[in-house]
Amino acid sequence: MEGALVTDPAKCTGCLQCELACSLKHEGQFAPWLARVVVHRTPETCLAFPNVCQHCEDPPCAHACPVGALKTSPGTGAVYVDVVECIGCRECLEACSHGSISFDSDKGVALKCDLCNGEPACVDVCPTGAIRLERYVARGSDCLAGPGNPDRRRTDDE
Amino acid sequence: MSSNGGVTVLHVDLSERSTYIERFALPDVARLLGGRGLASHILFRDMGKGVDPLGAEAVLVFAPGHLTGTCAPTAGRTTVVGKSPATGLFMKSSMGGHWGAGLKFAGYDILVVHGAASQPTYLLVTDTAVQFGDASQYWGLDVRETSREMAKQLAMPDVDIACIGPSGENKVKVAGIMCTYYHAAARGGLGAAMGAKNLKAIAVRGRTPIKVAEPGRFWDVSEEARKRIAATGRCKFYGQYGTAGVVVGTNEMEAFPVQNFRRGYMENAYQISGQCLTDRGYLVRRESCFACPISCKRYSATRARYSGSEAGGPEYETLAAFGAGCLLEDMDANLRANELCNILGLDSISTASVIQWAFESAERGVVPEHVDDGSGGHVRLAWGDADAVLALIEMIAHRKGFGDVLADGVRSAARRVGGDSWKWAVEAKGLEQSRVETRMAKAYALAFATNPRGPDHLYGQPMAEFGFSPEARELVRKLTGDVKFANPVITEHKPELVAWHEECFAMTDSLGLCSRATLSTYAITPGMMAEMLSAATGFEVDEQEMHEAARRIINLERAFNAREGAGRKDDRLPWRLMHEELPNSRGIKAVNSEEELGAMLDEYYDIRGWDRETGVPKASTLLSLGLEEVASALYSEPGKQRM
């Protein structure tokens, strides 16, 4: 499987089911601040939009990591943090232009999406389809899957 | 919930500026289901008979549900429990938003506020400290300004704030408590109780994780609930059109309260419907409360008039109250009225009710057509006059001019004005009725009469009697043995329906779920709630035990009122709905009567184990539920035994 998480902010209602599912799956508890998917909410205007890792083919976070703790999974194509090797320097947070990496200050390690071995919990629970997993049928160039890119052939996960 | 499944209660004393912690162990949670159940227990225990709801001795309990903070779908709600300044009786008022989860992540399950501060004060509750802050800089600000300014001053962009607007500060008895900007614990004037304590706001923020006893099992039942919600047509409907989506259907049934409950139908209901909101571009966004996949909450903006007016909502109740009740047949004006109620911190149901009463009183010559606006001018009381409605909302919030007469609610206003005006004061127990036509819905009539807070839909919401959906019809069949009893205009089997719905509502509130999921759509069942609570706490509770716990809660709340002297005599409906027939084209004699209501009450009291004559829980009933302390509080005086 090779694919990417695609978000549609217009559909996000800010229910935080994705953060709750993510933190339960990865941390065994409900702690939205430890989720790998982050929903930015502006309660005054009821704005909400999810931020998820794009799993770049040529990931700046991995380049920035001084110890090579950011690796690409051969099965899913997910860029993940090897927490054994992570030294908590936060260089990857700086390097990610999407702001998709956060930090667990208790454990002193970077937190990022690992695509849940190809079955992302956030996609599973999202009630509106604001986060979807789009799998590539054929690999194209370095651009991301998305409705705006007609060159990329893709199928929806569902 | 605490990591052991128990409950941590933070008590705050504003007079002493002190705090203390109280803990409840798992068996107590199972007994009272946490949340609202424990809150009602604390209220009964800590606020004795005859305490002034606006005095320093009054107790106000903020109780997120026991599952709030988890992924249980819709479990983000908070119930505020106290003594209502409007009714002088028990009040629970529930709000959505994200505040309850914020309190949980700060490490507390329930917050109890005692005493009164000498100066305007805010509370900041985090997982490292509880602070009493000076709120003088926020006093007088509206809800939106307060929330915005506090987040800025505290330098906490993700803080969640529950606060009152100017109406609560002015002890207006139709003032609510607002959280996450636009979510309201509106009913019963609890905003005035908060204002009387000089408590402007409670800000919460934390990083304390919540653990459940059996994560895999909890995930499974949450997933089942999510799938049920996704597959339930009524849930999709509320997501699509919001609660105001039911305006059109209610109107077509001729059960839509128009012009202070004088009619059940209006020509232009579409103009004030959720469909109009959605299709005509007023809807800016759909929003969810914490962990809710239904997302019935709206964020809307005006289009043609009142430029720049935008806010969360409006809900069915608001559009029905202003749009149909006051004859404001213009979406833009309704959106402005909704925004004003939100930011001034007013209950839109009660506010629109007193305005309707004022319009009718002027029409019938009991009050002058032109009344003092408190700013040197006058307001003309006339049905459908948007400028008058909007001016009156502000006058009520600030107790200006004639607004001061209306600010204590419709019962008080009718007493002050006199004449026959009490006949069109659509209230019981001192609470203005919500926008349900009980002359066309007999389970609702009974539920509104027995509701300890007054005649509204958020204590037992027996929507199944309409048989709107397959889920509703199945429930009626299960409870009564025949789907033919899903008929709103008959009284047969309605007491059983009401009892079940009240119990389901008590579980729903206590766990922090939303009645939108458990009652009006029946997507989440009591059995699923039992499974959620068991998986979360590791303490096995089955569906029957959930019902028993719910009965315990209902008896506690009933006992609070009984201790204040309330009983059967107070289980009544507004005069208009008992004596004036609702015109309709179906040839139905649509009115409630003493005879009909009395027969349903007898049957209902029998089901509950309450005395038929007094409507008070029998000592034997309280003892069978293990409520010894309640029994002794009600029956300790000699000669009062009624086993």
Side-chain angles (χ1 to χ4, degrees):
Chain A
M1 196 280 302
E2 298 259 347
L5 293 174
V6 177
T7 63
D8 187 345
K11 289 183 178 170
C12 180
T13 63
C15 73
L16 310 184
Q17 278 284 348
C18 55
E19 290 188 357
L20 292 164
C22 183
S23 84
L24 185 69
K25 188 152 183 171
H26 291 92
E27 303 289 334
Q29 57 192 5
F30 296 107
W33 54 94
L34 296 178
R36 280 70 172 159
V37 48
V38 177
V39 176
H40 298 282
R41 284 174 54 242
T42 312
E44 182 175 346
T45 49
C46 299
L47 279 167
F49 54 94
N51 184 327
V52 291
C53 173
Q54 304 293 307
H55 298 281
C56 310
E57 261 183 304
D58 187 19
C61 55
H63 289 301
C65 180
V67 296
L70 283 142
K71 301 172 179 176
T72 300
S73 160
T76 60
V79 180
Y80 68 98
V81 181
D82 185 331
V83 292
V84 177
E85 295 186 24
C86 176
I87 56 170
C89 70
R90 305 188 192 216
E91 290 291 337
C92 55
L93 276 74
E94 295 290 321
C96 179
S97 58
H98 279 277
S100 298
I101 306 181
S102 47
F103 196 74
D104 182 343
S105 42
D106 288 339
K107 291 182 186 155
V109 293
L111 289 176
K112 77 173 292 303
C113 170
D114 60 4
L115 284 180
C116 296
N117 290 320
E119 300 291 337
C122 54
V123 171
D124 192 27
V125 299
C126 180
T128 63
I131 308 178
R132 301 189 307 279
L133 179 67
E134 296 208 343
R135 295 172 199 264
Y136 311 142
V137 174
R139 288 185 67 80
S141 61
D142 58 352
C143 50
L144 293 164
N149 178 6
D151 297 335
R152 172 80 82 176
R153 291 199 298 127
R154 64 185 193 280
T155 57
D156 280 356
D157 186 43
E158 293 172 332
Chain B
M1 75 208 89
S2 309
S3 54
N4 61 2
V7 159
T8 304
V9 181
L10 171 66
H11 288 266
V12 171
D13 190 323
L14 291 170
S15 302
E16 304 287 330
R17 287 173 87 88
S18 63
T19 65
Y20 62 97
I21 302 292
E22 178 185 20
R23 289 183 210 282
F24 289 94
L26 262 181
D28 293 318
V29 174
R31 238 179 123 252
L32 291 162
L33 305 179
R36 171 181 145 196
L38 275 177
S40 292
H41 163 77
I42 292 167
L43 185 80
F44 189 90
R45 183 194 68 190
D46 291 359
M47 190 168 174
K49 179 183 178 178
V51 170
D52 176 5
L54 296 176
E57 277 179 64
V59 174
L60 208 49
V61 189
F62 292 78
H66 198 62
L67 302 181
T68 301
T70 74
C71 71
T74 77
R77 295 191 71 89
T78 300
T79 301
V80 187
V81 169
K83 185 176 185 179
S84 164
T87 66
L89 297 172
F90 170 82
M91 182 56 55
K92 67 113 187 164
S93 196
S94 161
M95 58 193 183
H98 292 251
W99 188 89
L103 183 68
K104 292 276 180 167
F105 292 135
Y108 303 104
D109 296 284
I110 292 175
L111 169 69
V112 187
V113 182
H114 304 262
S118 54
Q119 296 294 322
T121 298
Y122 72 80
L123 284 173
L124 173 62
V125 181
T126 69
D127 40 10
T128 50
V130 179
Q131 289 172 31
F132 298 81
D134 175 9
S136 49
Q137 60 182 315
Y138 308 122
W139 205 255
L141 296 188
D142 71 32
V143 168
R144 197 156 49 192
E145 292 162 346
T146 303
S147 307
R148 191 189 294 151
E149 282 304 308
M150 277 190 72
K152 207 193 304 178
Q153 295 294 326
L154 295 170
M156 291 180 181
D158 56 347
V159 74
D160 212 304
I161 291 162
C163 68
I164 53 170
S167 62
E169 295 171 12
N170 295 326
K171 301 183 195 68
V172 169
K173 291 183 180 175
V174 299
I177 297 167
M178 305 291 297
C179 82
T180 324
Y181 286 89
Y182 307 114
H183 298 262
R187 304 241 67 198
L190 294 180
M194 199 163 151
K197 293 182 174 303
N198 259 324
L199 181 58
K200 177 68 177 174
I202 306 171
V204 292
R205 184 188 179 277
R207 292 279 183 267
T208 305
I210 293 172
K211 287 184 178 149
V212 290
E214 298 175 57
R217 187 178 167 198
F218 192 79
W219 175 262
D220 288 345
V221 65
S222 297
E223 184 171 36
E224 185 193 353
R226 272 191 286 110
K227 288 186 172 161
R228 286 261 307 181
I229 285 169
T232 302
R234 295 299 293 177
C235 291
K236 286 184 208 157
F237 176 83
Y238 285 118
Q240 179 69 20
Y241 294 116
T243 55
V246 303
V247 162
V248 173
T250 311
N251 190 52
E252 278 165 11
M253 286 173 56
E254 301 178 72
F256 191 43
V258 176
Q259 204 177 19
N260 203 25
F261 287 84
R262 274 150 72 171
R263 288 181 283 138
Y265 178 83
M266 65 190 284
E267 284 298 321
N268 299 317
Y270 175 82
Q271 304 288 350
I272 55 164
S273 69
Q275 286 78 355
C276 172
L277 202 62
T278 311
D279 300 340
R280 300 264 172 99
Y282 294 101
L283 175 66
V284 179
R285 292 183 69 84
R286 295 184 172 85
E287 199 213 359
S288 284
C289 299
F290 186 88
C292 177
I294 301 175
S295 72
C296 71
K297 186 78 184 176
R298 323 272 91 178
Y299 185 74
S300 317
T302 51
R303 297 190 63 209
R305 302 200 292 144
Y306 307 103
S307 161
S309 174
E310 52 187 71
E315 304 295 333
Y316 164 83
E317 289 291 339
T318 305
L319 283 170
F322 285 108
C326 301
L327 298 186
L328 217 54
E329 296 177 13
D330 162 13
M331 184 57 89
D332 288 280
N334 279 283
L335 292 183
R336 176 63 181 152
N338 174 61
E339 182 190 32
L340 280 177
C341 286
N342 271 327
I343 65 177
L344 296 170
L346 288 165
D347 172 5
S348 58
I349 300 173
S350 288
T351 302
S353 290
V354 289
I355 292 174
Q356 288 164 65
W357 172 86
F359 287 168
E360 185 158 351
S361 297
E363 179 192 335
R364 296 183 190 275
V366 182
V367 300
E369 189 185 351
H370 292 88
V371 291
D372 170 23
D373 72 357
S375 308
H378 288 89
V379 171
R380 182 171 160 258
L381 300 175
W383 293 104
D385 185 329
D387 292 338
V389 169
L390 299 175
L392 286 164
I393 294 172
E394 301 215 45
M395 286 158 58
I396 291 168
H398 297 285
R399 287 188 176 275
K400 286 202 301 200
F402 189 66
D404 187 49
V405 175
L406 304 180
D408 288 328
V410 79
R411 174 186 275 188
S412 159
R415 280 182 185 157
R416 280 170 76 170
V417 165
D420 274 348
S421 69
W422 59 275
K423 288 185 175 175
W424 54 87
V426 185
E427 58 82 21
K429 297 189 175 85
L431 188 78
E432 294 75 18
Q433 172 153 330
S434 62
R435 315 311 294 179
V436 178
E437 184 44 81
T438 57
R439 288 170 291 191
M440 289 284 239
K442 300 302 174 178
Y444 271 99
L446 177 62
F448 278 36
T450 58
N451 185 342
R453 49 187 226 165
D456 83 348
H457 56 296
L458 295 174
Y459 195 83
Q461 192 175 20
M463 209 182 269
E465 74 167 333
F466 289 104
F468 277 145
S469 65
E471 294 82 8
R473 290 188 291 274
E474 173 53 26
L475 178 69
V476 172
R477 197 198 54 73
K478 189 180 143 197
L479 295 174
T480 66
D482 198 324
V483 75
K484 74 177 181 192
F485 297 113
N487 177 353
V489 296
I490 61 170
T491 57
E492 239 174 325
H493 288 295
K494 293 301 166 67
E496 289 123 279
L497 279 187
V498 170
W500 185 91
H501 282 80
E502 287 176 343
E503 288 165 23
C504 185
F505 218 123
M507 299 170 205
T508 302
D509 281 343
S510 298
L511 266 50
L513 301 177
C514 182
S515 64
R516 189 69 46 217
T518 61
L519 285 151
S520 55
T521 63
Y522 307 100
I524 297 178
T525 62
M528 289 160 74
M529 287 193 261
E531 177 67 8
M532 285 176 185
L533 188 60
S534 303
T537 59
F539 193 97
E540 291 300 320
V541 182
D542 66 20
E543 186 176 341
Q544 286 315 309
E545 288 163 326
M546 294 288 286
H547 276 281
E548 190 182 327
R551 285 194 283 275
R552 211 169 269 128
I553 296 166
I554 290 161
N555 273 276
L556 254 170
E557 294 166 354
R558 182 79 179 182
F560 184 94
N561 282 0
R563 191 171 59 181
E564 299 291 335
R568 180 168 186 140
K569 64 180 168 39
D570 303 281
D571 286 348
R572 57 178 196 86
L573 294 167
W575 188 90
R576 168 160 283 168
L577 308 184
M578 293 290 286
H579 296 92
E580 291 180 8
E581 277 188 43
L582 177 72
N584 65 87
S585 67
R586 292 193 281 163
I588 298 169
K589 185 174 158 51
V591 69
N592 292 302
S593 67
E594 297 290 350
E595 189 188 1
E596 192 179 77
L597 180 62
M600 285 198 291
L601 283 175
D602 284 345
E603 208 180 314
Y604 171 84
Y605 294 148
D606 289 351
I607 292 170
R608 284 269 172 259
W610 297 347
D611 185 86
R612 274 193 178 197
E613 201 182 312
T614 63
V616 172
K618 293 178 187 171
S620 55
T621 302
L622 296 172
L623 294 174
S624 75
L625 290 167
L627 295 169
E628 284 81 5
E629 73 286 1
V630 178
S632 70
L634 292 192
Y635 293 101
S636 58
E637 291 168 46
K640 282 192 84 179
Q641 287 291 339
R642 193 188 290 277
M643 297 295 280

